[in-house]
Structures are given as C-alpha cells and as structure tokens.
Amino acid sequence: MKLFSNTINQLEQAINQSTTKQKVISNNIANVDTPNYKAQDVRFNQSFNNELQKLSANKTNNKHIDFGTTGNGFQILTKKNSNYQHNGNNVDIDQEMTEIAKNQIQYNALIDRLSSKFNSLKTVIKGGN
C-alpha cells in the first residue's frame, strides 16, 4: 500500500534532483580557480525520458505511440571540451551564478508545491476543518 500519491513521490524525486544540481554548481563555484578543473553539469532530460517511459498509454489506435517501460535517475556530466581560463579550468562563474539562481527558484517552487500537498492531506485528516 502506498502511503502517498505519485505526485508527492515525483515531487520528492524532483527535489532530490534539484539538491544534487545545487551541490554540483556549488562544487563548480568552489573550484573556479583550481587548475585543470572541469565544470560538471546535471542532466535531467535522461531522468525525464525515464519517467516518461514509466507511464502507460491508453492506446485507442494502433498508430498511437507507447510511452515506454523503465528508467531511473539523472546524470552528472563533466564539460571536457572547453577552456575559459589559461590554467585549463572551464568554470564560467557568471553562468554558474545564473544556474544556481535558476535552480534555487525551481527548488523553492517544488518545496512550495510539496508543502501545499501536505497541507491538503492535513485538511483531509482533520475532516475539512
């Protein structure tokens, strides 16, 4: 028996992904002056595609496309083919600061949505009062 709905589980996974991205960006910023350090990035497209594959399609026509079957996680990739500094480091601090701000907005929105879901459950448990 599942205690929470799929929405809450998906929000939890999205928050975990956002937290991982925050750590990767923070690591990039911390290593902005480290020689030969290569910036890393978190790719969610793979995760999105994997989640999409978990959905089952209600096919009413043979020409409808299946969503797929399995998948998991997200990827952390190292950006190897670029150099922004003469010491081999490729961390672009302006881009990293932009990404951290975007990620923080996304994280706050996810937390707000999850909080709203739990408040709805709390209202139901109290009988609507």
Side-chain angles (χ1 to χ4, degrees):
M1 180 177 130
K2 291 173 70 173
L3 183 59
F4 298 115
S5 68
N6 283 340
T7 304
I8 290 176
N9 293 331
Q10 290 169 347
L11 285 169
E12 179 187 6
Q13 186 174 10
I15 289 168
N16 289 338
Q17 291 173 344
S18 183
T19 301
T20 300
K21 185 164 185 156
Q22 191 80 4
K23 290 177 184 175
V24 168
I25 295 169
S26 297
N27 194 37
N28 288 342
I29 292 171
N31 288 293
V32 69
D33 292 326
T34 303
N36 298 319
Y37 177 81
K38 299 298 181 195
Q40 295 181 324
D41 192 17
V42 179
R43 301 292 171 141
F44 297 121
N45 289 341
Q46 181 67 32
S47 178
F48 176 74
N49 289 335
N50 290 338
E51 290 300 319
L52 191 61
Q53 291 177 351
K54 292 179 182 176
L55 299 174
S56 61
N58 183 14
K59 294 172 59 174
T60 57
N61 187 315
N62 289 338
K63 293 179 182 178
H64 289 168
I65 299 171
D66 283 327
F67 288 151
T69 54
T70 62
N72 60 8
F74 44 87
Q75 292 179 308
I76 298 175
L77 303 173
T78 301
K79 301 174 188 175
K80 295 180 180 176
N81 298 327
S82 59
N83 284 328
Y84 294 111
Q85 301 175 22
H86 62 280
N87 65 1
N89 187 311
N90 69 352
V91 176
D92 181 351
I93 192 68
D94 294 329
Q95 182 179 0
E96 297 297 330
M97 296 305 284
T98 302
E99 290 296 321
I100 206 167
K102 286 171 35 181
N103 191 56
Q104 186 66 45
I105 291 169
Q106 179 184 4
Y107 180 84
N108 288 342
L110 290 168
I111 293 294
D112 188 50
R113 186 69 187 128
L114 186 61
S115 177
S116 174
K117 282 286 191 187
F118 281 122
N119 283 335
S120 295
L121 287 173
K122 184 178 169 183
T123 301
V124 169
I125 291 170
K126 287 183 172 182
N129 295 325

